[in-house]
Structure formats: C-alpha cells, structure tokens
Amino acid sequence: MNRKNTAVVLLSGGLDSATVAAIAQSEGYLVHALSFAYGQRHSFELEAARRVAVSLGVAQHRIATIDLRAFGGSALTDDIDVPKGRDSAAMEHGIPVTYVPARNTIFLSFALAWAEVLGASDVFIGVNALDYSGYPDCRPEFIRAFEMMANLATKAGVEGRQKLVIHAPLMQLTKAQIIGKGMELGVDYSLTSSCYDPAPNGKPCGQCDSCFLRRKGFRENGIDDPLPYPDAKASQ
C-alpha cells in the first residue's frame, strides 16, 4: 500500500503490541506509538517499548504518565502477589488479579485524544480474545462499544472531520499465530517484555500467566523464546 495514513498505536513493550505496530506499518500507516507509565510494578516494559519503537522506526513515540496506584485493585498496581505456576485450565476460570480496573478504557481514551490532535482516524490496540487471561476489556464487544462512543465524543467527530476506527488485528489469533505473523514482519521479540513480575533487570520470572502464554506460543511455532528465562520450568 502506498498511502501513509496516520495511526496511533498503543505500545506497551510486550509481544502483542510490538506485533500490532508492525502490522500497522505493513498496512501503510505512519505509526505514532503511545505508551503509559501508569504506576505499574513492571516499569521495565517502558524500556522495551522504547527499544521496539526505535527498531520499527515509528514516526513518534510518546509516554503518557498517569498513576493508577491511586486506585490499586490489581497485582500490577497494588501490594498484591502476582499469580504464579498456573496452567491453561486455571487461566480459564475467572478474571485474575493482574487485571487492572478500566485500563484499556483509559488507554484508549488517551489514544483518542492524541488521534484527534494528529487528525488521525485510526487507533491500533493489541487485545486478544483467545490466548489471554480473561480480561473483560480485551473482548470484541468492548472494542465495538468504545469505537461507537469515541465517534460521539470528539469535536472532530461532531464536525465530521474524523470517523475513528479501532483496529484489533490480533483479536481472533492464538499466541502462536501472533508470533508467526510478527516473525513474517521481522519483529525482534528479543526487544520485548511480557512478564507480569520481572526482575529489576527485566529478566522474566517464567512462572506468571503472561510468561506461560508467551512460551507456549513460541513452542507451538517450533522455536525458542529469545528472552532469558531463569530455569527450565518456564518451558514446561
């Protein structure tokens, strides 16, 4: 594609968002990447987001600062232990404590604001409804509802200058399929960070839900995850 439409891409520094940024670029979009310092315990992911943004050569990369620790209620923003050692069956029951209340709603609202300033009509987000941890704000009905609301919420929308489209290209892909797509697009997954509870140097724990799903996806592609896991248990 030859067009260079502007898009805002939510970039956490994780595997999924890096893949989505690469997909947006492959579809001809000029990517403006948006990350968040939201009081998360694993702020190393912001370093990963910076590395990914540089690797992909995005047009801009902004980091917005908000503090969801003011509310807590999540293992990622409060003094709550991150679940470890759960298998696929355990992940299918209930919403885990790593869910951050209203996080994607907040992030998409920031993306909507920047898109209006940029004159962009496209926002990309790496939500997924298959290999995920049951988060309610990762479902297709949430994305559809937010898109409908967004088109009622801005001056540009009311004046007919913007019709926002929220792209969720990973929605119906397994983790293995996401990794396969990213490899086709040349994503360097060694730059990413997915762990919910990494060491201070960014080394993944290998035992949280996110590590489990990530390693499973690489195994199903017949390749090793390039990240340095602490022991062999991470691959089991």
Side-chain angles (χ1 to χ4, degrees):
M1 300 175 69
N2 294 319
R3 64 186 173 90
K4 277 293 183 182
N5 289 342
T6 297
V8 174
V9 178
L10 294 178
L11 183 67
S12 69
L15 181 154
D16 292 345
S17 67
T19 306
V20 167
I23 289 172
Q25 284 189 326
S26 75
E27 294 180 356
Y29 289 95
L30 190 64
V31 169
H32 294 251
L34 178 60
S35 305
F36 294 90
Y38 63 91
Q40 64 269 51
R41 71 162 67 199
H42 49 88
S43 58
F44 180 80
E45 71 179 14
L46 292 174
E47 294 301 321
R50 292 185 184 96
R51 293 196 301 262
V52 170
V54 170
S55 174
L56 294 176
V58 302
Q60 288 190 73
H61 179 215
R62 300 259 180 114
I63 298 176
T65 301
I66 51 180
D67 193 357
L68 297 185
R69 290 177 299 181
F71 311 118
S74 167
L76 303 188
T77 58
D78 210 334
D79 188 19
I80 301 171
D81 291 338
V82 171
K84 301 286 182 72
R86 303 198 319 156
D87 59 16
S88 296
M91 292 180 203
E92 292 174 0
H93 298 286
I95 299 170
V97 294
T98 49
Y99 163 70
V100 179
R103 181 175 62 179
N104 282 344
T105 304
I106 294 165
F107 288 0
L108 283 170
S109 297
F110 273 67
L112 171 61
W114 197 20
E116 185 173 17
V117 171
L118 292 170
S121 294
D122 298 275
V123 170
F124 284 75
I125 183 171
V127 292
N128 175 264
L130 295 181
D131 283 349
Y132 77 125
S133 294
Y135 300 152
D137 53 2
C138 289
R139 297 173 298 159
E141 51 266 47
F142 165 75
I143 297 298
R144 288 195 300 268
F146 190 96
E147 183 180 88
M148 183 179 299
M149 179 279 298
N151 281 297
L152 300 172
T154 65
K155 178 183 177 182
V158 170
E159 293 177 348
R161 293 183 287 107
Q162 179 190 54
K163 181 171 176 55
L164 192 79
V165 177
I166 299 178
H167 303 261
L170 310 185
M171 182 64 76
Q172 300 301 330
L173 301 183
T174 66
K175 193 68 72 178
Q177 290 171 328
I178 293 168
I179 293 168
K181 179 65 175 178
M183 292 174 61
E184 290 176 7
L185 296 173
V187 175
D188 184 353
Y189 288 122
S190 71
L191 303 178
T192 64
S193 175
S194 301
C195 183
Y196 289 147
D197 192 23
N201 65 359
K203 188 174 182 178
C205 74
Q207 295 296 309
C208 68
D209 292 0
S210 187
C211 284
F212 177 89
L213 291 171
R214 178 179 170 124
R215 286 300 294 256
K216 178 174 176 285
F218 276 98
R219 286 199 310 273
E220 290 174 357
N221 275 285
I223 57 176
D224 291 330
D225 188 335
L227 296 187
Y229 287 86
D231 55 51
K233 291 181 180 179
S235 64
Q236 294 177 359

PDB file of all heavy atoms in Angstrom, residues 151-177:
ATOM      1  N   ASN A 151     -16.791   7.949  18.611  1.00  0.00           N
ATOM      2  CA  ASN A 151     -17.266   8.767  17.492  1.00  0.00           C
ATOM      3  C   ASN A 151     -18.348   9.759  17.895  1.00  0.00           C
ATOM      4  O   ASN A 151     -18.791  10.562  17.082  1.00  0.00           O
ATOM      5  CB  ASN A 151     -17.738   7.855  16.361  1.00  0.00           C
ATOM      6  CG  ASN A 151     -16.570   7.321  15.551  1.00  0.00           C
ATOM      7  OD1 ASN A 151     -15.842   8.069  14.926  1.00  0.00           O
ATOM      8  ND2 ASN A 151     -16.368   6.010  15.611  1.00  0.00           N
ATOM      9  N   LEU A 152     -18.762   9.709  19.166  1.00  0.00           N
ATOM     10  CA  LEU A 152     -19.684  10.703  19.705  1.00  0.00           C
ATOM     11  C   LEU A 152     -18.971  11.694  20.619  1.00  0.00           C
ATOM     12  O   LEU A 152     -19.600  12.641  21.104  1.00  0.00           O
ATOM     13  CB  LEU A 152     -20.795  10.008  20.510  1.00  0.00           C
ATOM     14  CG  LEU A 152     -21.667   9.009  19.757  1.00  0.00           C
ATOM     15  CD1 LEU A 152     -22.574   8.279  20.752  1.00  0.00           C
ATOM     16  CD2 LEU A 152     -22.493   9.697  18.685  1.00  0.00           C
ATOM     17  N   ALA A 153     -17.680  11.482  20.863  1.00  0.00           N
ATOM     18  CA  ALA A 153     -17.009  12.150  21.984  1.00  0.00           C
ATOM     19  C   ALA A 153     -16.100  13.307  21.606  1.00  0.00           C
ATOM     20  O   ALA A 153     -15.633  14.011  22.497  1.00  0.00           O
ATOM     21  CB  ALA A 153     -16.189  11.117  22.764  1.00  0.00           C
ATOM     22  N   THR A 154     -15.810  13.507  20.325  1.00  0.00           N
ATOM     23  CA  THR A 154     -14.800  14.500  19.970  1.00  0.00           C
ATOM     24  C   THR A 154     -15.360  15.612  19.085  1.00  0.00           C
ATOM     25  O   THR A 154     -16.343  15.423  18.350  1.00  0.00           O
ATOM     26  CB  THR A 154     -13.626  13.846  19.223  1.00  0.00           C
ATOM     27  OG1 THR A 154     -14.091  13.326  17.959  1.00  0.00           O
ATOM     28  CG2 THR A 154     -13.010  12.717  20.046  1.00  0.00           C
ATOM     29  N   LYS A 155     -14.716  16.742  19.147  1.00  0.00           N
ATOM     30  CA  LYS A 155     -15.060  17.858  18.270  1.00  0.00           C
ATOM     31  C   LYS A 155     -14.903  17.461  16.817  1.00  0.00           C
ATOM     32  O   LYS A 155     -15.765  17.762  15.975  1.00  0.00           O
ATOM     33  CB  LYS A 155     -14.167  19.060  18.602  1.00  0.00           C
ATOM     34  CG  LYS A 155     -14.395  20.276  17.704  1.00  0.00           C
ATOM     35  CD  LYS A 155     -13.423  21.383  18.057  1.00  0.00           C
ATOM     36  CE  LYS A 155     -13.621  22.572  17.092  1.00  0.00           C
ATOM     37  NZ  LYS A 155     -12.648  23.667  17.371  1.00  0.00           N
ATOM     38  N   ALA A 156     -13.790  16.756  16.515  1.00  0.00           N
ATOM     39  CA  ALA A 156     -13.536  16.337  15.133  1.00  0.00           C
ATOM     40  C   ALA A 156     -14.630  15.400  14.638  1.00  0.00           C
ATOM     41  O   ALA A 156     -15.034  15.449  13.471  1.00  0.00           O
ATOM     42  CB  ALA A 156     -12.175  15.652  15.040  1.00  0.00           C
ATOM     43  N   GLY A 157     -15.128  14.540  15.539  1.00  0.00           N
ATOM     44  CA  GLY A 157     -16.195  13.633  15.152  1.00  0.00           C
ATOM     45  C   GLY A 157     -17.501  14.354  14.902  1.00  0.00           C
ATOM     46  O   GLY A 157     -18.192  14.103  13.905  1.00  0.00           O
ATOM     47  N   VAL A 158     -17.855  15.277  15.783  1.00  0.00           N
ATOM     48  CA  VAL A 158     -19.101  16.039  15.644  1.00  0.00           C
ATOM     49  C   VAL A 158     -19.083  16.892  14.376  1.00  0.00           C
ATOM     50  O   VAL A 158     -20.111  17.043  13.694  1.00  0.00           O
ATOM     51  CB  VAL A 158     -19.313  16.919  16.896  1.00  0.00           C
ATOM     52  CG1 VAL A 158     -20.451  17.899  16.681  1.00  0.00           C
ATOM     53  CG2 VAL A 158     -19.597  16.050  18.105  1.00  0.00           C
ATOM     54  N   GLU A 159     -17.905  17.438  14.058  1.00  0.00           N
ATOM     55  CA  GLU A 159     -17.784  18.281  12.864  1.00  0.00           C
ATOM     56  C   GLU A 159     -17.590  17.484  11.586  1.00  0.00           C
ATOM     57  O   GLU A 159     -17.481  18.055  10.509  1.00  0.00           O
ATOM     58  CB  GLU A 159     -16.611  19.253  13.052  1.00  0.00           C
ATOM     59  CG  GLU A 159     -16.860  20.272  14.158  1.00  0.00           C
ATOM     60  CD  GLU A 159     -15.668  21.183  14.399  1.00  0.00           C
ATOM     61  OE1 GLU A 159     -14.563  20.899  13.879  1.00  0.00           O
ATOM     62  OE2 GLU A 159     -15.847  22.195  15.112  1.00  0.00           O
ATOM     63  N   GLY A 160     -17.549  16.157  11.701  1.00  0.00           N
ATOM     64  CA  GLY A 160     -17.439  15.318  10.516  1.00  0.00           C
ATOM     65  C   GLY A 160     -16.036  15.205   9.949  1.00  0.00           C
ATOM     66  O   GLY A 160     -15.850  14.721   8.827  1.00  0.00           O
ATOM     67  N   ARG A 161     -15.017  15.616  10.713  1.00  0.00           N
ATOM     68  CA  ARG A 161     -13.637  15.552  10.237  1.00  0.00           C
ATOM     69  C   ARG A 161     -12.941  14.249  10.611  1.00  0.00           C
ATOM     70  O   ARG A 161     -11.837  13.986  10.165  1.00  0.00           O
ATOM     71  CB  ARG A 161     -12.831  16.729  10.800  1.00  0.00           C
ATOM     72  CG  ARG A 161     -13.271  18.077  10.279  1.00  0.00           C
ATOM     73  CD  ARG A 161     -12.406  19.205  10.802  1.00  0.00           C
ATOM     74  NE  ARG A 161     -12.658  19.508  12.210  1.00  0.00           N
ATOM     75  CZ  ARG A 161     -11.846  19.207  13.201  1.00  0.00           C
ATOM     76  NH1 ARG A 161     -10.714  18.557  12.974  1.00  0.00           N
ATOM     77  NH2 ARG A 161     -12.144  19.536  14.454  1.00  0.00           N
ATOM     78  N   GLN A 162     -13.581  13.462  11.455  1.00  0.00           N
ATOM     79  CA  GLN A 162     -12.956  12.230  11.922  1.00  0.00           C
ATOM     80  C   GLN A 162     -14.022  11.162  12.142  1.00  0.00           C
ATOM     81  O   GLN A 162     -15.049  11.421  12.769  1.00  0.00           O
ATOM     82  CB  GLN A 162     -12.222  12.468  13.251  1.00  0.00           C
ATOM     83  CG  GLN A 162     -11.547  11.227  13.837  1.00  0.00           C
ATOM     84  CD  GLN A 162     -11.070  11.486  15.265  1.00  0.00           C
ATOM     85  OE1 GLN A 162     -11.832  11.905  16.130  1.00  0.00           O
ATOM     86  NE2 GLN A 162      -9.789  11.262  15.507  1.00  0.00           N
ATOM     87  N   LYS A 163     -13.775   9.985  11.604  1.00  0.00           N
ATOM     88  CA  LYS A 163     -14.574   8.809  11.949  1.00  0.00           C
ATOM     89  C   LYS A 163     -13.592   7.760  12.442  1.00  0.00           C
ATOM     90  O   LYS A 163     -12.912   7.107  11.660  1.00  0.00           O
ATOM     91  CB  LYS A 163     -15.366   8.289  10.756  1.00  0.00           C
ATOM     92  CG  LYS A 163     -16.235   7.071  11.128  1.00  0.00           C
ATOM     93  CD  LYS A 163     -17.175   6.689  10.027  1.00  0.00           C
ATOM     94  CE  LYS A 163     -17.946   5.421  10.390  1.00  0.00           C
ATOM     95  NZ  LYS A 163     -18.667   5.518  11.676  1.00  0.00           N
ATOM     96  N   LEU A 164     -13.502   7.654  13.746  1.00  0.00           N
ATOM     97  CA  LEU A 164     -12.476   6.807  14.345  1.00  0.00           C
ATOM     98  C   LEU A 164     -12.762   5.330  14.129  1.00  0.00           C
ATOM     99  O   LEU A 164     -13.897   4.875  14.289  1.00  0.00           O
ATOM    100  CB  LEU A 164     -12.383   7.084  15.847  1.00  0.00           C
ATOM    101  CG  LEU A 164     -11.151   6.459  16.514  1.00  0.00           C
ATOM    102  CD1 LEU A 164      -9.923   7.301  16.240  1.00  0.00           C
ATOM    103  CD2 LEU A 164     -11.369   6.329  18.016  1.00  0.00           C
ATOM    104  N   VAL A 165     -11.723   4.599  13.766  1.00  0.00           N
ATOM    105  CA  VAL A 165     -11.782   3.145  13.656  1.00  0.00           C
ATOM    106  C   VAL A 165     -10.746   2.560  14.607  1.00  0.00           C
ATOM    107  O   VAL A 165      -9.572   2.960  14.576  1.00  0.00           O
ATOM    108  CB  VAL A 165     -11.489   2.669  12.220  1.00  0.00           C
ATOM    109  CG1 VAL A 165     -11.483   1.141  12.152  1.00  0.00           C
ATOM    110  CG2 VAL A 165     -12.515   3.242  11.250  1.00  0.00           C
ATOM    111  N   ILE A 166     -11.180   1.648  15.478  1.00  0.00           N
ATOM    112  CA  ILE A 166     -10.249   0.973  16.373  1.00  0.00           C
ATOM    113  C   ILE A 166      -9.932  -0.394  15.784  1.00  0.00           C
ATOM    114  O   ILE A 166     -10.824  -1.225  15.607  1.00  0.00           O
ATOM    115  CB  ILE A 166     -10.830   0.818  17.788  1.00  0.00           C
ATOM    116  CG1 ILE A 166     -11.127   2.200  18.380  1.00  0.00           C
ATOM    117  CG2 ILE A 166      -9.853   0.062  18.687  1.00  0.00           C
ATOM    118  CD1 ILE A 166     -11.745   2.162  19.753  1.00  0.00           C
ATOM    119  N   HIS A 167      -8.679  -0.590  15.460  1.00  0.00           N
ATOM    120  CA  HIS A 167      -8.221  -1.838  14.849  1.00  0.00           C
ATOM    121  C   HIS A 167      -7.683  -2.767  15.935  1.00  0.00           C
ATOM    122  O   HIS A 167      -6.834  -2.374  16.739  1.00  0.00           O
ATOM    123  CB  HIS A 167      -7.098  -1.562  13.843  1.00  0.00           C
ATOM    124  CG  HIS A 167      -7.477  -0.592  12.764  1.00  0.00           C
ATOM    125  ND1 HIS A 167      -7.874  -0.991  11.503  1.00  0.00           N
ATOM    126  CD2 HIS A 167      -7.499   0.770  12.756  1.00  0.00           C
ATOM    127  CE1 HIS A 167      -8.121   0.074  10.763  1.00  0.00           C
ATOM    128  NE2 HIS A 167      -7.896   1.150  11.502  1.00  0.00           N
ATOM    129  N   ALA A 168      -8.162  -3.982  15.948  1.00  0.00           N
ATOM    130  CA  ALA A 168      -7.679  -5.001  16.885  1.00  0.00           C
ATOM    131  C   ALA A 168      -7.316  -6.245  16.079  1.00  0.00           C
ATOM    132  O   ALA A 168      -8.006  -7.266  16.137  1.00  0.00           O
ATOM    133  CB  ALA A 168      -8.730  -5.302  17.937  1.00  0.00           C
ATOM    134  N   PRO A 169      -6.226  -6.189  15.304  1.00  0.00           N
ATOM    135  CA  PRO A 169      -5.917  -7.258  14.347  1.00  0.00           C
ATOM    136  C   PRO A 169      -5.555  -8.594  14.969  1.00  0.00           C
ATOM    137  O   PRO A 169      -5.525  -9.612  14.269  1.00  0.00           O
ATOM    138  CB  PRO A 169      -4.739  -6.687  13.546  1.00  0.00           C
ATOM    139  CG  PRO A 169      -4.107  -5.682  14.454  1.00  0.00           C
ATOM    140  CD  PRO A 169      -5.244  -5.088  15.225  1.00  0.00           C
ATOM    141  N   LEU A 170      -5.284  -8.617  16.275  1.00  0.00           N
ATOM    142  CA  LEU A 170      -4.921  -9.872  16.946  1.00  0.00           C
ATOM    143  C   LEU A 170      -6.113 -10.540  17.617  1.00  0.00           C
ATOM    144  O   LEU A 170      -5.955 -11.612  18.217  1.00  0.00           O
ATOM    145  CB  LEU A 170      -3.845  -9.623  18.009  1.00  0.00           C
ATOM    146  CG  LEU A 170      -2.617  -8.822  17.606  1.00  0.00           C
ATOM    147  CD1 LEU A 170      -1.624  -8.787  18.761  1.00  0.00           C
ATOM    148  CD2 LEU A 170      -1.975  -9.367  16.353  1.00  0.00           C
ATOM    149  N   MET A 171      -7.272  -9.949  17.532  1.00  0.00           N
ATOM    150  CA  MET A 171      -8.412 -10.354  18.336  1.00  0.00           C
ATOM    151  C   MET A 171      -8.695 -11.852  18.276  1.00  0.00           C
ATOM    152  O   MET A 171      -8.949 -12.500  19.281  1.00  0.00           O
ATOM    153  CB  MET A 171      -9.657  -9.574  17.919  1.00  0.00           C
ATOM    154  CG  MET A 171     -10.896  -9.883  18.741  1.00  0.00           C
ATOM    155  SD  MET A 171     -10.739  -9.411  20.485  1.00  0.00           S
ATOM    156  CE  MET A 171     -10.929  -7.634  20.376  1.00  0.00           C
ATOM    157  N   GLN A 172      -8.654 -12.434  17.088  1.00  0.00           N
ATOM    158  CA  GLN A 172      -9.025 -13.838  16.918  1.00  0.00           C
ATOM    159  C   GLN A 172      -7.818 -14.729  16.611  1.00  0.00           C
ATOM    160  O   GLN A 172      -7.971 -15.815  16.043  1.00  0.00           O
ATOM    161  CB  GLN A 172     -10.077 -13.966  15.814  1.00  0.00           C
ATOM    162  CG  GLN A 172     -11.359 -13.209  16.088  1.00  0.00           C
ATOM    163  CD  GLN A 172     -12.064 -13.652  17.369  1.00  0.00           C
ATOM    164  OE1 GLN A 172     -11.972 -14.813  17.783  1.00  0.00           O
ATOM    165  NE2 GLN A 172     -12.759 -12.723  18.016  1.00  0.00           N
ATOM    166  N   LEU A 173      -6.622 -14.287  16.993  1.00  0.00           N
ATOM    167  CA  LEU A 173      -5.408 -15.069  16.763  1.00  0.00           C
ATOM    168  C   LEU A 173      -4.941 -15.712  18.059  1.00  0.00           C
ATOM    169  O   LEU A 173      -5.051 -15.129  19.135  1.00  0.00           O
ATOM    170  CB  LEU A 173      -4.287 -14.191  16.199  1.00  0.00           C
ATOM    171  CG  LEU A 173      -4.543 -13.471  14.887  1.00  0.00           C
ATOM    172  CD1 LEU A 173      -3.281 -12.719  14.469  1.00  0.00           C
ATOM    173  CD2 LEU A 173      -4.981 -14.432  13.787  1.00  0.00           C
ATOM    174  N   THR A 174      -4.394 -16.923  17.952  1.00  0.00           N
ATOM    175  CA  THR A 174      -3.730 -17.527  19.095  1.00  0.00           C
ATOM    176  C   THR A 174      -2.375 -16.860  19.288  1.00  0.00           C
ATOM    177  O   THR A 174      -1.872 -16.159  18.396  1.00  0.00           O
ATOM    178  CB  THR A 174      -3.514 -19.031  18.886  1.00  0.00           C
ATOM    179  OG1 THR A 174      -2.578 -19.215  17.797  1.00  0.00           O
ATOM    180  CG2 THR A 174      -4.815 -19.748  18.569  1.00  0.00           C
ATOM    181  N   LYS A 175      -1.769 -17.088  20.446  1.00  0.00           N
ATOM    182  CA  LYS A 175      -0.442 -16.521  20.685  1.00  0.00           C
ATOM    183  C   LYS A 175       0.554 -17.032  19.652  1.00  0.00           C
ATOM    184  O   LYS A 175       1.406 -16.273  19.163  1.00  0.00           O
ATOM    185  CB  LYS A 175       0.035 -16.859  22.091  1.00  0.00           C
ATOM    186  CG  LYS A 175       1.255 -16.061  22.536  1.00  0.00           C
ATOM    187  CD  LYS A 175       0.930 -14.585  22.720  1.00  0.00           C
ATOM    188  CE  LYS A 175       0.089 -14.334  23.944  1.00  0.00           C
ATOM    189  NZ  LYS A 175      -0.189 -12.888  24.147  1.00  0.00           N
ATOM    190  N   ALA A 176       0.433 -18.295  19.280  1.00  0.00           N
ATOM    191  CA  ALA A 176       1.325 -18.860  18.265  1.00  0.00           C
ATOM    192  C   ALA A 176       1.152 -18.154  16.927  1.00  0.00           C
ATOM    193  O   ALA A 176       2.133 -17.860  16.226  1.00  0.00           O
ATOM    194  CB  ALA A 176       1.073 -20.359  18.119  1.00  0.00           C
ATOM    195  N   GLN A 177      -0.098 -17.870  16.563  1.00  0.00           N
ATOM    196  CA  GLN A 177      -0.355 -17.179  15.299  1.00  0.00           C
ATOM    197  C   GLN A 177       0.160 -15.746  15.336  1.00  0.00           C
ATOM    198  O   GLN A 177       0.664 -15.233  14.332  1.00  0.00           O
ATOM    199  CB  GLN A 177      -1.850 -17.207  14.993  1.00  0.00           C
ATOM    200  CG  GLN A 177      -2.375 -18.580  14.618  1.00  0.00           C
ATOM    201  CD  GLN A 177      -3.888 -18.629  14.534  1.00  0.00           C
ATOM    202  OE1 GLN A 177      -4.590 -17.914  15.261  1.00  0.00           O
ATOM    203  NE2 GLN A 177      -4.415 -19.471  13.657  1.00  0.00           N
TER     204      GLN A 177
END
